Amino acid sequence: MRLLITGGAGFIGSNFIFHLRAVRPDWTLLCVDKLTYAGNLATLDSVRDDPHFRFFRADITDETAMRGIFETERPDAVVNFAAESHVDRSIEDPGIFLRTNVLGVQTLLDVCRSCGVSRFHQVSTDEVYGDLPLDRPDLRFTEESPLRPSSPYAASKAAADLLCGAYRRTYGLHVTLSRCSNNYGPFQFPEKLIPLMLANALADQPLPVYGTGENVRDWLYVDDHCAAIRLILEKGEAGAVYNIGGHGELSNLALVRRLLALVGKSESLITHVGDRKGHDLRYAIDPVLLEKTLGWRPAVSLDEGLAKTVAWYLEHRLWWETIRSGAYLSYYERMYGNRPAPDRHFDGGL
Ligand code: NAD
Ligand code: TDX
């Protein structure tokens, strides 16, 4: 298998590369990444000398570059992780989200089509479904739930999902899609909730919880997501959509309290700040299709995964401190420097 992985220098893509190195050591892995602020080559240090691994710095929206790589490297399959992935950034500046997350996917699909790539897997997100109410714990997202994205990020991912479906139907491309809940684990960029809170707690800085902190996310350890994608790639049905999640629901406030307990810091560091615009209330995935058809089960419980993640961030301070000391700081200042006081959640429909 010659597998082309886009976005492999980011959080989940790099973990996918490590997962495959461990369980499919004979596969050749071709990593394509633009190395945006979120891509970090240092993350791939452990595989860079592997003869079955190659790295290409390129933008998935650049058709000429993509065609060149595909024609030279002749991948059998593609898994697309490359994306602008941070909701808050999409609220600030949606344009780059549409370029990479929609036009980038169109470029990849076109190149796959003309180069005869036999499989394309698009890594999507549960955020395409919008949110669920807090007072209906019985409700979960299924693959049939309507697409009701709330943020520009989620809308761009939903658009890409629709494109994938259209290429399947129109051109008969072997496309699969997965929609996973919130991931956590090693190498997550410290703008996302868990690494940001850990880094702040370790520095005795305030922990900025948006709004009331009652918003619920459904957490999955990153390696379980990676295992699910590999299964779909190997056994998934063409045209199918698979939800991925491990019933790991927790409110943001409860999660932050657990992180503080794990690093032995005081809850007095918690600071409520103004809410995210359009902030989704609750995500919850029903993974029954993936469990029943492909036999997937998460291997790591939330307790175990959080302990492993905290241990990793404690042991790899250099990785995230380097990021936090660089260009990230100006973004951080913009994001949190002049944040308004907490306000109400916007609950209007479209
Ligand atoms: P990330 O931001 O950590 O990594 C994204 C990677 O894509 C980076 O290495 C970046 O350099 C690269 N990239 C960005 N634009 C590119 C472009 N135009 N061309 C080539 N490379 C480009 O993101 P992540 O958290 O690892 O998410 C990976 C994928 O999984 C995304 O598609 C995201 O929508 C999806 N997803 C993420 C989560 C989560 O909790 N993080 C959950 C479900 C789905
Ligand atoms: O400082 C913060 N304070 C805070 O309260 C940050 C960064 C986040 N939050 C809240 C917002 C969310 O309710 O924590 C929750 C998680 O926030 P993020 O880590 O930004 O993740 P989320 O918006 O849920 O999106 C993530 O999961 C789905 C990924 O970033 C997406 O790429 C993925 O598709």
Side-chain angles (χ1 to χ4, degrees):
M1 164 73 103
R2 291 176 70 74
L3 180 63
L4 191 142
I5 297 163
T6 66
F11 165 47
I12 309 176
S14 62
N15 277 282
F16 187 61
I17 289 169
F18 306 144
H19 173 85
L20 290 180
R21 274 290 65 107
V23 301
R24 296 289 180 270
D26 54 326
W27 287 14
T28 295
L29 307 181
L30 311 160
C31 174
V32 170
D33 200 296
K34 182 182 174 182
L35 297 181
T36 67
Y37 79 94
N40 187 351
L41 260 192
T43 300
L44 295 172
D45 275 350
S46 65
V47 292
R48 279 174 78 187
D49 294 332
D50 184 326
H52 292 299
F53 175 80
R54 296 197 60 189
F55 180 82
F56 304 86
R57 183 173 194 183
D59 185 330
I60 61 164
T61 66
D62 181 343
E63 183 166 353
T64 310
M66 287 305 112
R67 209 167 281 286
I69 294 169
F70 277 61
E71 283 172 358
T72 319
E73 299 297 330
R74 309 302 313 174
D76 301 306
V78 172
V79 178
N80 179 37
F81 292 94
E84 288 294 334
S85 69
H86 193 36
V87 171
D88 290 325
R89 287 181 188 263
S90 84
I91 294 167
E92 268 205 326
D93 181 12
I96 183 67
F97 283 75
L98 296 184
R99 277 195 292 284
T100 289
N101 299 1
V102 186
L103 298 180
V105 172
Q106 175 239 322
T107 304
L108 289 173
L109 288 167
D110 281 339
V111 176
C112 281
R113 207 157 62 84
S114 59
C115 293
V117 173
S118 54
R119 271 178 180 248
F120 181 87
H121 181 76
Q122 168 66 4
V123 180
S124 184
T125 170
D126 61 356
E127 297 202 13
V128 298
Y129 298 123
D131 63 357
L132 296 165
L134 289 174
D135 59 356
R136 289 290 308 275
D138 54 312
L139 296 180
R140 292 201 171 79
F141 297 131
T142 72
E143 289 79 1
E144 275 72 47
S145 297
L147 301 186
R148 288 196 180 121
S150 308
S151 67
Y153 160 72
S156 71
K157 295 294 287 186
D161 287 11
L162 297 179
L163 259 185
C164 288
Y167 273 64
R168 159 84 191 133
R169 166 118 184 202
T170 306
Y171 306 113
L173 209 63
H174 189 302
V175 176
T176 47
L177 261 175
S178 55
R179 297 183 179 139
C180 190
S181 58
N182 284 60
N183 283 217
Y184 68 101
F187 295 111
Q188 187 166 29
F189 194 84
E191 67 188 346
K192 304 286 168 59
L193 181 71
I194 289 181
L196 185 144
M197 295 298 175
L198 283 176
N200 281 19
L202 293 172
D204 292 309
Q205 288 171 0
L207 271 49
V209 171
Y210 297 165
T212 60
E214 64 187 346
N215 308 64
V216 169
R217 294 294 180 267
D218 185 356
W219 295 95
L220 184 69
Y221 192 66
V222 62
D223 195 57
D224 281 326
H225 184 190
C226 295
I229 293 173
R230 176 181 51 78
L231 260 182
I232 296 167
L233 189 66
E234 292 180 325
K235 299 187 188 151
E237 195 188 317
V241 176
Y242 297 92
N243 279 353
I244 309 174
H247 303 287
E249 284 183 60
L250 213 53
S251 76
N252 292 339
L253 205 50
L255 175 60
V256 169
R257 288 194 173 121
R258 275 167 82 159
L259 296 175
L260 283 168
L262 282 165
V263 294
K265 296 283 181 174
S266 162
E267 288 186 13
S268 63
L269 287 174
I270 294 175
T271 312
H272 288 271
V273 297
D275 211 349
R276 174 183 278 174
K277 290 188 176 75
H279 198 175
D280 280 337
L281 286 173
R282 171 175 169 250
Y283 303 145
I285 279 280
D286 180 350
V288 71
L289 177 70
L290 187 66
E291 292 175 353
K292 285 216 168 118
T293 57
L294 302 185
W296 177 85
R297 288 280 184 290
V300 180
S301 69
L302 193 54
D303 280 347
E304 194 191 336
L306 287 176
K308 277 159 79 117
T309 302
V310 169
W312 189 91
Y313 278 89
L314 287 171
E315 281 160 21
H316 295 82
R317 289 186 84 119
L318 188 64
W319 183 85
W320 55 266
E321 279 179 351
T322 306
I323 294 171
R324 295 222 337 160
S325 65
Y328 180 75
L329 284 181
S330 61
Y331 162 75
Y332 193 91
E333 188 48 41
R334 281 205 318 284
M335 204 39 79
Y336 299 108
N338 297 310
R339 240 189 141 79
D343 55 12
R344 282 189 56 241
H345 170 74
F346 171 72
D347 58 0
L350 272 182

